[in-house]
Amino acid sequence: SQTIHQWPATLVQPVGSPLSLECTVEGTSNPNLYWYRQAAGRGLQLLFYSVGIGQISSEVPQNLSASRPQDRQFILSSKKLLLSDSGFYLCAWSWSGPSGNTIYFGEGSWLTVV
Amino acid sequence: AQSVTQPDIHITVSEGASLELRCNYSYGATPYLFWYVQSPGQGLQLLLKYFSGDTLVQGIKGFEAEFKRSQSSFNLRKPSVHWSDAAEYFCAVGGRGGSYIPTFGRGTSLIVHP
């Protein structure tokens, strides 16, 4: 079966510090990978998605970036965090085939920028 | 472009009462439809999904949803709510084909009174 792991689960970072959230998927190959952000009362916001190694699509221009150095690894980064980057970040994956629209989520990472 | 509307931000029910959460979608063809549940501080868990066939879909935890093409709706139901069902519920719509990323609604918060 497939599993998705993301870490750290909780992070408190000062303004201006860097960020690295990591996500890995096990039990599948060539998945589509996603990073979402969830701010209080604002639903899910798709930040980035990737259909393959080194292929990143950005949905929202902002202070964050994403990378996919390996097939099942997805990293969310920032060089300098802003207060507005605080939120709940969710990594997710889906099958890459033609019927692969079902998205499966990780447990999320709470980021508080202080 | 596809879109999803969850008209109720909050729903309050008594334990043991029936539940219906509303979801309306906009999509030009037959969509893929999903319901997810999110407990506080956790990721989203897939409850059920509709791809084709029987329009009444059974999911986990005793939930079901009915796809009504004429009403562009995919409402989630449960005959008897348990206190543990208190959570945030998200409806999502996706297109057919692996390149279509599902669009999520803003969510409905379910409050269960004892």
Side-chain angles (χ1 to χ4, degrees), chain A residues 32 34 36 38 41-42 44 46 49 88 90 97-99 101-103 105-107 110, chain B residues 32 34 36 38 41-44 46 49 51 90 95-98 100-102 104 106:
Chain A
N32 293 337
Y34 311 85
Y36 286 86
Q38 193 174 22
R42 296 190 63 183
L44 288 165
L46 179 63
Y49 69 94
F88 191 50
L90 290 156
S99 63
N101 295 94
T102 306
I103 291 186
F105 289 85
E107 287 301 306
W110 281 103
Chain B
Y32 288 167
F34 311 86
Y36 290 82
Q38 184 183 31
Q42 297 186 19
L44 279 71
L46 180 68
K49 60 185 178 184
F51 279 9
F90 293 91
R96 295 178 179 268
Y100 289 93
I101 301 172
F104 286 81
R106 294 289 296 268

Side-chain angles (χ1 to χ4, degrees), chain A residues 29-112:
Chain A
S29 59
N30 194 32
N32 293 337
L33 296 172
Y34 311 85
W35 278 111
Y36 286 86
R37 178 168 58 198
Q38 193 174 22
R42 296 190 63 183
L44 288 165
Q45 180 185 36
L46 179 63
L47 301 175
F48 302 94
Y49 69 94
S50 171
V51 299
I53 296 175
Q55 301 179 58
I56 308 296
S57 296
S58 174
E59 291 294 301
V60 181
Q62 57 203 322
N63 186 41
L64 302 171
S65 62
S67 62
R68 185 170 178 173
Q70 300 181 44
D71 180 43
R72 292 170 291 167
Q73 183 185 23
F74 206 24
I75 298 172
L76 182 68
S77 303
S78 174
K79 292 183 179 179
K80 290 186 177 181
L81 284 169
L82 306 172
L83 286 174
S84 58
D85 291 324
S86 294
F88 191 50
Y89 289 82
L90 290 156
C91 183
W93 72 276
S94 68
W95 298 105
S96 59
S99 63
N101 295 94
T102 306
I103 291 186
Y104 299 94
F105 289 85
E107 287 301 306
S109 298
W110 281 103
L111 171 63
T112 303

Side-chain angles (χ1 to χ4, degrees), chain B residues 20 23-26 66-75:
Chain B
E20 182 169 33
C23 172
N24 293 98
Y25 70 89
S26 174
E66 186 170 12
F67 169 54
K68 293 186 177 180
R69 184 190 305 275
S70 61
Q71 299 177 22
S72 297
S73 69
F74 189 56
N75 293 348

